[in-house]
mmCIF file of all heavy atoms in Angstrom:
data_model
loop_
_atom_site.group_PDB
_atom_site.id
_atom_site.type_symbol
_atom_site.label_atom_id
_atom_site.label_comp_id
_atom_site.label_asym_id
_atom_site.label_seq_id
_atom_site.Cartn_x
_atom_site.Cartn_y
_atom_site.Cartn_z
ATOM 1 N N LYS A 6 0.832 -1.211 0.000
ATOM 2 C CA LYS A 6 0.000 0.000 0.000
ATOM 3 C C LYS A 6 0.864 1.257 0.000
ATOM 4 O O LYS A 6 0.587 2.228 -0.698
ATOM 5 C CB LYS A 6 -0.917 0.017 1.227
ATOM 6 C CG LYS A 6 -2.004 -1.047 1.181
ATOM 7 C CD LYS A 6 -2.879 -0.950 2.407
ATOM 8 C CE LYS A 6 -3.996 -2.000 2.386
ATOM 9 N NZ LYS A 6 -4.826 -1.938 3.600
ATOM 10 N N ILE A 7 1.958 1.187 0.780
ATOM 11 C CA ILE A 7 2.849 2.355 0.848
ATOM 12 C C ILE A 7 3.515 2.580 -0.501
ATOM 13 O O ILE A 7 3.627 3.695 -0.989
ATOM 14 C CB ILE A 7 3.909 2.140 1.951
ATOM 15 C CG1 ILE A 7 3.233 2.133 3.321
ATOM 16 C CG2 ILE A 7 4.973 3.244 1.882
ATOM 17 C CD1 ILE A 7 4.170 1.782 4.468
ATOM 18 N N THR A 8 3.939 1.432 -1.118
ATOM 19 C CA THR A 8 4.584 1.554 -2.430
ATOM 20 C C THR A 8 3.641 2.158 -3.459
ATOM 21 O O THR A 8 4.007 3.030 -4.243
ATOM 22 C CB THR A 8 5.045 0.161 -2.897
ATOM 23 O OG1 THR A 8 5.936 -0.360 -1.926
ATOM 24 C CG2 THR A 8 5.763 0.274 -4.238
ATOM 25 N N ARG A 9 2.356 1.699 -3.474
ATOM 26 C CA ARG A 9 1.385 2.230 -4.422
ATOM 27 C C ARG A 9 1.143 3.723 -4.191
ATOM 28 O O ARG A 9 0.993 4.497 -5.114
ATOM 29 C CB ARG A 9 0.058 1.464 -4.309
ATOM 30 C CG ARG A 9 0.076 0.128 -5.046
ATOM 31 C CD ARG A 9 -1.337 -0.342 -5.328
ATOM 32 N NE ARG A 9 -2.138 -0.482 -4.132
ATOM 33 C CZ ARG A 9 -2.205 -1.623 -3.430
ATOM 34 N NH1 ARG A 9 -1.520 -2.674 -3.819
ATOM 35 N NH2 ARG A 9 -2.951 -1.681 -2.367
ATOM 36 N N LYS A 10 1.108 4.115 -2.934
ATOM 37 C CA LYS A 10 0.853 5.521 -2.604
ATOM 38 C C LYS A 10 1.995 6.409 -3.104
ATOM 39 O O LYS A 10 1.784 7.475 -3.696
ATOM 40 C CB LYS A 10 0.680 5.682 -1.087
ATOM 41 C CG LYS A 10 0.268 7.095 -0.680
ATOM 42 C CD LYS A 10 -0.079 7.144 0.791
ATOM 43 C CE LYS A 10 -0.578 8.544 1.178
ATOM 44 N NZ LYS A 10 -0.940 8.615 2.600
ATOM 45 N N ILE A 11 3.251 5.934 -2.885
ATOM 46 C CA ILE A 11 4.401 6.705 -3.351
ATOM 47 C C ILE A 11 4.389 6.813 -4.865
ATOM 48 O O ILE A 11 4.618 7.871 -5.453
ATOM 49 C CB ILE A 11 5.711 6.050 -2.866
ATOM 50 C CG1 ILE A 11 5.807 6.172 -1.332
ATOM 51 C CG2 ILE A 11 6.926 6.709 -3.532
ATOM 52 C CD1 ILE A 11 6.960 5.409 -0.749
ATOM 53 N N PHE A 12 4.087 5.667 -5.517
ATOM 54 C CA PHE A 12 4.062 5.646 -6.977
ATOM 55 C C PHE A 12 2.996 6.576 -7.532
ATOM 56 O O PHE A 12 3.225 7.325 -8.482
ATOM 57 C CB PHE A 12 3.814 4.201 -7.461
ATOM 58 C CG PHE A 12 3.797 4.086 -8.959
ATOM 59 C CD1 PHE A 12 4.977 4.129 -9.697
ATOM 60 C CD2 PHE A 12 2.591 3.959 -9.636
ATOM 61 C CE1 PHE A 12 4.948 4.032 -11.071
ATOM 62 C CE2 PHE A 12 2.569 3.858 -11.011
ATOM 63 C CZ PHE A 12 3.751 3.886 -11.732
ATOM 64 N N SER A 13 1.814 6.553 -6.900
ATOM 65 C CA SER A 13 0.715 7.439 -7.353
ATOM 66 C C SER A 13 1.102 8.910 -7.217
ATOM 67 O O SER A 13 0.836 9.727 -8.091
ATOM 68 C CB SER A 13 -0.553 7.157 -6.541
ATOM 69 O OG SER A 13 -0.963 5.832 -6.740
ATOM 70 N N THR A 14 1.731 9.208 -6.074
ATOM 71 C CA THR A 14 2.165 10.588 -5.856
ATOM 72 C C THR A 14 3.171 11.017 -6.919
ATOM 73 O O THR A 14 3.135 12.121 -7.447
ATOM 74 C CB THR A 14 2.782 10.739 -4.459
ATOM 75 O OG1 THR A 14 1.831 10.332 -3.489
ATOM 76 C CG2 THR A 14 3.204 12.187 -4.199
ATOM 77 N N PHE A 15 4.084 10.098 -7.249
ATOM 78 C CA PHE A 15 5.085 10.395 -8.270
ATOM 79 C C PHE A 15 4.452 10.659 -9.621
ATOM 80 O O PHE A 15 4.816 11.589 -10.340
ATOM 81 C CB PHE A 15 6.072 9.216 -8.361
ATOM 82 C CG PHE A 15 7.053 9.363 -9.492
ATOM 83 C CD1 PHE A 15 8.163 10.190 -9.373
ATOM 84 C CD2 PHE A 15 6.853 8.700 -10.697
ATOM 85 C CE1 PHE A 15 9.050 10.342 -10.416
ATOM 86 C CE2 PHE A 15 7.742 8.850 -11.739
ATOM 87 C CZ PHE A 15 8.844 9.665 -11.604
ATOM 88 N N ILE A 16 3.460 9.850 -9.984
ATOM 89 C CA ILE A 16 2.787 10.010 -11.272
ATOM 90 C C ILE A 16 2.089 11.366 -11.360
ATOM 91 O O ILE A 16 2.185 12.080 -12.357
ATOM 92 C CB ILE A 16 1.772 8.866 -11.507
ATOM 93 C CG1 ILE A 16 2.520 7.540 -11.691
ATOM 94 C CG2 ILE A 16 0.903 9.160 -12.715
ATOM 95 C CD1 ILE A 16 3.432 7.514 -12.902
ATOM 96 N N VAL A 17 1.373 11.723 -10.275
ATOM 97 C CA VAL A 17 0.676 13.023 -10.252
ATOM 98 C C VAL A 17 1.665 14.167 -10.405
ATOM 99 O O VAL A 17 1.469 15.114 -11.170
ATOM 100 C CB VAL A 17 -0.141 13.172 -8.950
ATOM 101 C CG1 VAL A 17 -0.668 14.607 -8.831
ATOM 102 C CG2 VAL A 17 -1.282 12.189 -8.924
ATOM 103 N N ALA A 18 2.782 14.059 -9.668
ATOM 104 C CA ALA A 18 3.799 15.106 -9.746
ATOM 105 C C ALA A 18 4.379 15.197 -11.150
ATOM 106 O O ALA A 18 4.610 16.284 -11.688
ATOM 107 C CB ALA A 18 4.910 14.834 -8.728
ATOM 108 N N ALA A 19 4.630 14.041 -11.747
ATOM 109 C CA ALA A 19 5.187 14.028 -13.102
ATOM 110 C C ALA A 19 4.230 14.651 -14.096
ATOM 111 O O ALA A 19 4.638 15.407 -14.981
ATOM 112 C CB ALA A 19 5.512 12.582 -13.502
ATOM 113 N N MET A 20 2.938 14.323 -13.969
ATOM 114 C CA MET A 20 1.946 14.906 -14.867
ATOM 115 C C MET A 20 1.879 16.419 -14.690
ATOM 116 O O MET A 20 1.762 17.167 -15.658
ATOM 117 C CB MET A 20 0.576 14.274 -14.601
ATOM 118 C CG MET A 20 0.473 12.813 -15.018
ATOM 119 S SD MET A 20 -1.091 12.078 -14.527
ATOM 120 C CE MET A 20 -2.222 13.032 -15.512
ATOM 121 N N TYR A 21 1.959 16.875 -13.472
ATOM 122 C CA TYR A 21 1.915 18.313 -13.203
ATOM 123 C C TYR A 21 3.108 19.006 -13.841
ATOM 124 O O TYR A 21 2.998 20.045 -14.482
ATOM 125 C CB TYR A 21 1.899 18.575 -11.696
ATOM 126 C CG TYR A 21 1.900 20.037 -11.331
ATOM 127 C CD1 TYR A 21 0.731 20.787 -11.395
ATOM 128 C CD2 TYR A 21 3.093 20.678 -10.974
ATOM 129 C CE1 TYR A 21 0.741 22.137 -11.098
ATOM 130 C CE2 TYR A 21 3.105 22.021 -10.666
ATOM 131 C CZ TYR A 21 1.932 22.746 -10.726
ATOM 132 O OH TYR A 21 1.933 24.080 -10.421
ATOM 133 N N PHE A 22 4.312 18.375 -13.667
ATOM 134 C CA PHE A 22 5.515 18.966 -14.250
ATOM 135 C C PHE A 22 5.423 19.003 -15.760
ATOM 136 O O PHE A 22 5.772 19.996 -16.405
ATOM 137 C CB PHE A 22 6.749 18.175 -13.812
ATOM 138 C CG PHE A 22 8.019 18.659 -14.483
ATOM 139 C CD1 PHE A 22 8.647 19.809 -14.028
ATOM 140 C CD2 PHE A 22 8.543 18.001 -15.586
ATOM 141 C CE1 PHE A 22 9.788 20.271 -14.651
ATOM 142 C CE2 PHE A 22 9.677 18.467 -16.208
ATOM 143 C CZ PHE A 22 10.316 19.601 -15.743
ATOM 144 N N ARG A 23 4.938 17.903 -16.326
ATOM 145 C CA ARG A 23 4.831 17.839 -17.784
ATOM 146 C C ARG A 23 3.883 18.915 -18.316
ATOM 147 O O ARG A 23 4.166 19.593 -19.300
ATOM 148 C CB ARG A 23 4.335 16.440 -18.193
ATOM 149 C CG ARG A 23 4.230 16.255 -19.714
ATOM 150 C CD ARG A 23 3.716 14.868 -20.015
ATOM 151 N NE ARG A 23 3.510 14.705 -21.440
ATOM 152 C CZ ARG A 23 4.444 14.295 -22.290
ATOM 153 N NH1 ARG A 23 5.654 14.035 -21.836
ATOM 154 N NH2 ARG A 23 4.193 14.161 -23.574
ATOM 155 N N HIS A 24 2.742 19.139 -17.618
ATOM 156 C CA HIS A 24 1.771 20.172 -18.039
ATOM 157 C C HIS A 24 2.401 21.559 -17.955
ATOM 158 O O HIS A 24 2.285 22.375 -18.866
ATOM 159 C CB HIS A 24 0.528 20.104 -17.149
ATOM 160 C CG HIS A 24 -0.449 21.203 -17.405
ATOM 161 N ND1 HIS A 24 -1.260 21.232 -18.511
ATOM 162 C CD2 HIS A 24 -0.722 22.334 -16.697
ATOM 163 C CE1 HIS A 24 -2.003 22.313 -18.485
ATOM 164 N NE2 HIS A 24 -1.689 22.999 -17.383
ATOM 165 N N THR A 25 3.107 21.808 -16.853
ATOM 166 C CA THR A 25 3.744 23.108 -16.665
ATOM 167 C C THR A 25 4.803 23.351 -17.731
ATOM 168 O O THR A 25 4.915 24.435 -18.307
ATOM 169 C CB THR A 25 4.376 23.187 -15.265
ATOM 170 O OG1 THR A 25 3.384 22.910 -14.295
ATOM 171 C CG2 THR A 25 4.981 24.573 -15.011
ATOM 172 N N ALA A 26 5.587 22.303 -17.999
ATOM 173 C CA ALA A 26 6.641 22.442 -19.002
ATOM 174 C C ALA A 26 6.064 22.707 -20.379
ATOM 175 O O ALA A 26 6.591 23.502 -21.158
ATOM 176 C CB ALA A 26 7.489 21.162 -19.025
ATOM 177 N N LEU A 27 4.956 22.053 -20.679
ATOM 178 C CA LEU A 27 4.320 22.239 -21.979
ATOM 179 C C LEU A 27 3.862 23.683 -22.160
ATOM 180 O O LEU A 27 4.125 24.316 -23.179
ATOM 181 C CB LEU A 27 3.133 21.278 -22.120
ATOM 182 C CG LEU A 27 2.316 21.400 -23.416
ATOM 183 C CD1 LEU A 27 3.198 21.059 -24.611
ATOM 184 C CD2 LEU A 27 1.109 20.495 -23.353
ATOM 185 N N VAL A 28 3.189 24.207 -21.140
ATOM 186 C CA VAL A 28 2.728 25.598 -21.208
ATOM 187 C C VAL A 28 3.901 26.551 -21.345
ATOM 188 O O VAL A 28 3.902 27.492 -22.147
ATOM 189 C CB VAL A 28 1.876 25.952 -19.964
ATOM 190 C CG1 VAL A 28 1.551 27.438 -19.960
ATOM 191 C CG2 VAL A 28 0.611 25.116 -19.946
ATOM 192 N N SER A 29 4.964 26.296 -20.568
ATOM 193 C CA SER A 29 6.132 27.172 -20.622
ATOM 194 C C SER A 29 6.771 27.139 -21.993
ATOM 195 O O SER A 29 7.198 28.164 -22.529
ATOM 196 C CB SER A 29 7.149 26.743 -19.558
ATOM 197 O OG SER A 29 6.592 26.829 -18.274
ATOM 198 N N ALA A 30 6.844 25.926 -22.568
ATOM 199 C CA ALA A 30 7.448 25.806 -23.886
ATOM 200 C C ALA A 30 6.661 26.565 -24.932
ATOM 201 O O ALA A 30 7.225 27.250 -25.794
ATOM 202 C CB ALA A 30 7.559 24.321 -24.278
ATOM 203 N N ILE A 31 5.347 26.444 -24.879
ATOM 204 C CA ILE A 31 4.497 27.150 -25.844
ATOM 205 C C ILE A 31 4.694 28.655 -25.720
ATOM 206 O O ILE A 31 4.885 29.355 -26.711
ATOM 207 C CB ILE A 31 3.023 26.777 -25.639
ATOM 208 C CG1 ILE A 31 2.795 25.315 -26.032
ATOM 209 C CG2 ILE A 31 2.121 27.693 -26.463
ATOM 210 C CD1 ILE A 31 1.413 24.801 -25.696
ATOM 211 N N CYS A 32 4.680 29.147 -24.468
ATOM 212 C CA CYS A 32 4.827 30.588 -24.267
ATOM 213 C C CYS A 32 6.204 31.061 -24.712
ATOM 214 O O CYS A 32 6.353 32.093 -25.357
ATOM 215 C CB CYS A 32 4.604 30.942 -22.791
ATOM 216 S SG CYS A 32 2.907 30.648 -22.258
#
Side-chain angles (χ1 to χ4, degrees):
K6 291 181 179 178
I7 293 174
T8 302
R9 280 200 302 270
K10 186 172 184 179
I11 293 173
F12 181 75
S13 298
T14 303
F15 174 79
I16 292 298
V17 171
M20 291 174 65
Y21 178 79
F22 175 78
R23 182 181 176 88
H24 174 75
T25 305
L27 177 63
V28 173
S29 300
I31 292 172
C32 294

